[in-house]
Amino acid sequence: QTVVTQEPSLTVSPGGTVTLTCASSTGAVTSGYYPNWFQQKPGQAPRALIYSTSNKHSWTPARFSGSLLGGKAALTLSGVQPEDEAEYYCLLYYGGAQLRVFGTGTKVTVL
Amino acid sequence: EVQLVESGGVVVQPGGSLRLSCAASGFTFDDYTMHWVRQAPGKGLEWVSLISWDGGSTYYADSVKGRFTISRDNSKNSLYLQMNSLRTEDTALYYCAKGMITFGGVDYWGQGTLVTVSS
């Protein structure tokens, strides 16, 4: 069974920078996994932030950026705002079986 | 404005069946892949299923394969999830989500419908 692993929790100060990662149990994550990133706040539906590794949606704030880092997909938040406190999930595509798998999620606390 | 509105979630007994619906508006429905994603209470997101724009291709997570069937009616701008042989572990908030023209992207989400499997 494929597992996609994220940091369980990260804490960042307002105005600071934090990087979340997304690792696959099958090996290095590449652009062919078409990583997506989503933000979810309590009681709300997920909101899309990033698709295909680094592309932003029209509503994605400029302080969010996606990349590949050391064999993982990464989401970097620069100049963190209090409203960025949320759970963040990555989503990877596994082409062989045309499956998608969500990461375990990272809870970001702004403190 | 893109809108996705799920419905059909209820309390059902283990072994029972249920059909969820997702009504789509604000975009050309038959141009896009659609997904179902679920979230058990207090847990993370789990991808459930995907259907191609024309319904010709469908894919499922191993946890639901053989029990759930995704379908769509492009004439009604609607997505469906037929859920059979339900288990207590299928209890979750079920979201429909819209794919993108760009391969692999997911952009808009509904607010979800709650399915509770309990005796």
Side-chain angles (χ1 to χ4, degrees), chain A residues 15-104:
Chain A
T17 297
V18 64
T19 297
L20 291 61
T21 66
C22 173
S24 172
S25 62
T26 61
V29 175
T30 66
S31 59
Y33 285 76
Y34 299 93
N36 282 244
W37 290 92
F38 303 91
Q39 177 192 65
Q40 188 179 34
K41 296 182 179 180
Q44 296 184 15
R47 181 175 77 133
L49 293 174
I50 299 288
Y51 64 96
S52 296
T53 305
S54 59
N55 294 281
K56 298 177 187 180
H57 295 279
S58 59
W59 54 82
T60 304
R63 61 184 180 274
F64 291 87
S65 62
S67 64
L68 296 175
L69 197 63
K72 301 178 184 180
L75 177 70
T76 298
L77 288 65
S78 305
V80 169
Q81 302 295 307
E83 60 265 30
D84 297 334
E85 185 162 292
E87 192 86 20
Y88 292 83
Y89 295 93
C90 63
L91 174 66
L92 300 182
Y93 163 75
Y94 290 83
Q98 288 280 336
L99 298 181
R100 273 73 172 168
V101 181
F102 278 97
T104 50

